[in-house]
Amino acid sequence: MRSNPSSTNKFTLSSPLEALAMGKKPSVHLLTLQGAGMRTLEELLWALPLRALPLPQVRPFNQLRLNELFLGQGRIIHKEIRPAFGRRTKGRFLLFNAYLIVQELEGNGTIALRWFNVYPNQKKLMETWDRVWFLGNAQEWRGQVQLVNPKVHILADADWASGLGDWLIEYPTISKVPGNFTAGLVAKLPAPFWQEIHSEYGTDELHPLPLSQAFKVLHARLPAKDMTAELRKDAEERLAYEEFFVDQLKIATRRRFIKKKAGPHIDEDKDAQAAFLKLLPFTLTDDQLKAVDDVLADMRSGHPMMRMVQGDVGCGKTVVAMLTALSVVQAGYQVAFMCPTETLALQHAETLSQYFGKLPFLKPALMLGSMKKKERDTVNKALVSGEANFVIGTHSLFQESVAFAKLGLAIIDEQHKFGVEQRLQLMGKGLGTHCLIMSATPIPRTLSLAQYGDLDFTTIKVMPAGRKGIKSRIVDPVNYEKYIDFIRQRLAMKDQGYFVFPAIDESETQDLQNVKEAFEGYTKTFPGTRIAMLHGKMKAAEKDATIKDFVAGKISILISTTVIEVGINVTNASFMCIYHPERFGLSSLHQLRGRVGRGEKPGFCFLVLDSDISPAAHARLEILEQTSDGFVIAEADLQNRGEGDLFGVDQSGVVTRRRVADFHKHSKVLEKVYQDVQQLMRTTPEKIDPILIRLARDQKILDTI
Ligand code: ADP
Ligand code: MG
């Protein structure tokens, strides 16, 4: 028998969405969805419903409950359909508001139905209604219980309600295509299609709940009696598993290809290290030594290093970086030290310059975005020729125009300001360049799994001895004067400190405004005190001069936007006063306060509120009064803000798809995925290799490194 057209029409996950046009010309809505990235039936499946409500039985009117879906039958006894005042669509259609009352067929009960902004054709239809089915959510409006925008159908159609199925399913609007349209597409998927859904990553072998079942549950393709809240939760976790699995495979791919590449072989140069250590006024902590060992071991391995050294502000990461850089330079390679801000680059250049002269094999250079083209060209030449072998800089270091003779090590300070892409770009400037990333924001485990699984980690836990530590206090408006008195006392003791204002994204001008006003105000409050400003609009040379004056003790208070957030190191500074602290993440506040209390003097951090804030916001800040453990603080931040805020993860991607996996909510799932992927790579690489190779191509990872 020849098959008829519909049975040859076999849908698979990779079938184009157009297949659902069933051979007809695809509708505008369908084309819009395709254009928005929903190209295949798989993508359609991932456009999950916002909610699915079980359809109720037909019930007597007196069982109507607020905020519940109600299905009834009745006769319309009253109709008011009036033009919606002042509402015209495209100047052509007049829209209407409708108010209808239905009465129970057997009995006197009535229910009000209300619609807003209905089209003329719908109005015409309404005028014909008499005995009807109706279905809607009961709401209270101006003291009256009514169904707003209910579905209505004529009662003569006896099967209508049974044809509704078990569920009322609501899909999201995507690129202005109404959810109903998407629902219609999903409804066209034949039963065998649902049966045959399987993970293209083979996760159905790893997870007890088949992917097909998870999609069925979340798209409400089950009889209502079989659905439970637990099943929905399991289904959601199953999809989270799938999403995490793909992420983890990508991370694993990156790691694998990096680890297969050859990297410069760097031998430890003990003499150079000894020469440097002799110049330091202190000895390294055990954790610092361990970090140096980890880094040197990586660089000896013959493969590119990808290591993150994390440790609280002030634990001494710079020294670790320097010490390891020496061996790289001595092996004939170049080192790039990349900082997230110019201020920090300048500060590093400044502190390190005292050593450069005494370590003749180091040939330093500085590269900043704000430098004139001519200056940059000069630095560039020195890097291409290899004349300079240690360059400090900002993002400008990985511009295309910058080339190195022999880049061996890229050091990235305060990593979370740089994305993965940028990291790869910088590494791409050398052959198998080693990468050392330093972070003062401790990375909680879930986050490190989710985003940094391709890195090796070293954690510096101990602080150098002799630190006096730091006290933190919230200054509520009532205590403002007391706080000012305290600062006065510290100034009298020749202390220095910072007043910091948050950056407000939309308007740099506003930031500047805040800083300027504070500058003028505090100049009056503290007469005879030298106060200076530091902000993003200043030229590098001006910033440099200001910082130098501050370091030299010529300035007592530095009023600044968050440009000082990272890295400035002035041991005499004892107070850090942060204004509008409620606008900062806890980790940022923690980093900021790490600028003080670094030397002999104890540090003070004031979180200055200029108005009362919510108890929840206050409680959040109190965490800083209570603990100085960066990990605890980072975790609290995660609880409060979620990953997107903290790390600015890429939100682009396909607009049609709402991500299910949330590494906080599904941290257990993530942990399991991580273990499973590791296990697979160890035990059955033949299963996973083909997928990794495909992903590597997709990610273009083979080209970038
Ligand atoms: P971070 O880890 O925040 O980058 P830095 O590298 O800037 O910290 O170090 C902070 C300060 O501590 C610097 O002044 C540095 O010279 C000093 N320092 C680093 N290691 C030690 C140590 N082992 N003992 C005493 N002081 C140290
Ligand atoms: Mg640092």
Side-chain angles (χ1 to χ4, degrees), residues 252-294:
T253 314
R254 209 148 61 212
R255 188 178 167 88
R256 163 165 310 193
F257 282 90
I258 288 164
K259 288 296 174 195
K260 272 192 179 157
K261 283 187 72 83
H265 179 98
I266 309 287
D267 276 317
E268 180 171 3
D269 189 317
K270 292 219 158 79
D271 294 340
Q273 288 179 20
F276 178 58
L277 288 174
K278 239 179 30 206
L279 300 173
L280 297 177
F282 50 76
T283 52
L284 297 195
T285 64
D286 287 350
D287 281 3
Q288 283 173 313
L289 290 172
K290 162 84 168 47
V292 171
D293 282 349
D294 285 353

Side-chain angles (χ1 to χ4, degrees), residues 317-318 348 413-414 567:
K317 295 181 289 289
T318 318
H348 275 316
D413 206 3
E414 317 294 352

Side-chain angles (χ1 to χ4, degrees), residues 280-286 288 309-321 337 344 347-348 351 354-355 413-414 438-440 460 462-467 566-571 594-595 598-599:
L280 297 177
F282 50 76
T283 52
L284 297 195
T285 64
D286 287 350
Q288 283 173 313
V309 172
Q310 57 174 344
D312 247 331
V313 186
C315 71
K317 295 181 289 289
T318 318
V319 175
V320 171
F337 195 131
L344 186 56
Q347 166 90 28
H348 275 316
T351 6
Q354 54 180 313
Y355 306 119
D413 206 3
E414 317 294 352
M438 300 193 291
S439 172
I460 300 184
V462 291
M463 284 286 174
R467 295 275 160 85
V566 272
I568 283 199
N569 185 23
V570 177
T571 46
R595 304 290 131 221
R598 295 184 139 208

